[in-house]
Amino acid sequence: LESAGYNYIGLDYERSGAVILGDAHALPFKSNSIDFILSMAVLEHIQHPLLFSAEAFRVLKPGGTFIGSVAL
């Protein structure tokens, strides 16, 4: 992502090496402040995925991009 011009901000619920510790149900970012969200194999671990989705779209800037996947 950084090679594509994005600044990376890693958020994790409990991993000690995370850049930011936080809860996906209440993202610690201002509304309309993020250009791009990449969520790889995370949604299946979220207790309330619709709440996370609402939070993701709250923090995305207008025209921002969300890409997410789930593990099978």
Side-chain angles (χ1 to χ4, degrees):
L1 294 175
E2 290 175 335
S3 65
Y6 293 100
N7 293 320
Y8 172 78
I9 303 171
L11 180 126
D12 198 288
Y13 185 69
E14 60 187 1
R15 197 174 112 221
S16 61
V19 175
I20 297 175
L21 289 176
D23 186 341
H25 300 99
L27 294 172
F29 307 110
K30 293 179 182 179
S31 297
N32 303 318
S33 63
I34 305 291
D35 292 307
F36 181 78
I37 295 175
L38 178 63
S39 174
M40 301 302 293
V42 172
L43 289 169
E44 68 271 18
H45 301 284
I46 302 291
Q47 186 173 7
H48 302 286
L50 293 177
L51 180 57
F52 163 65
S53 298
E55 274 294 282
F57 285 98
R58 177 187 66 80
V59 302
L60 276 175
K61 290 180 181 177
T65 301
F66 174 89
I67 296 176
S69 70
V70 295
L72 296 176

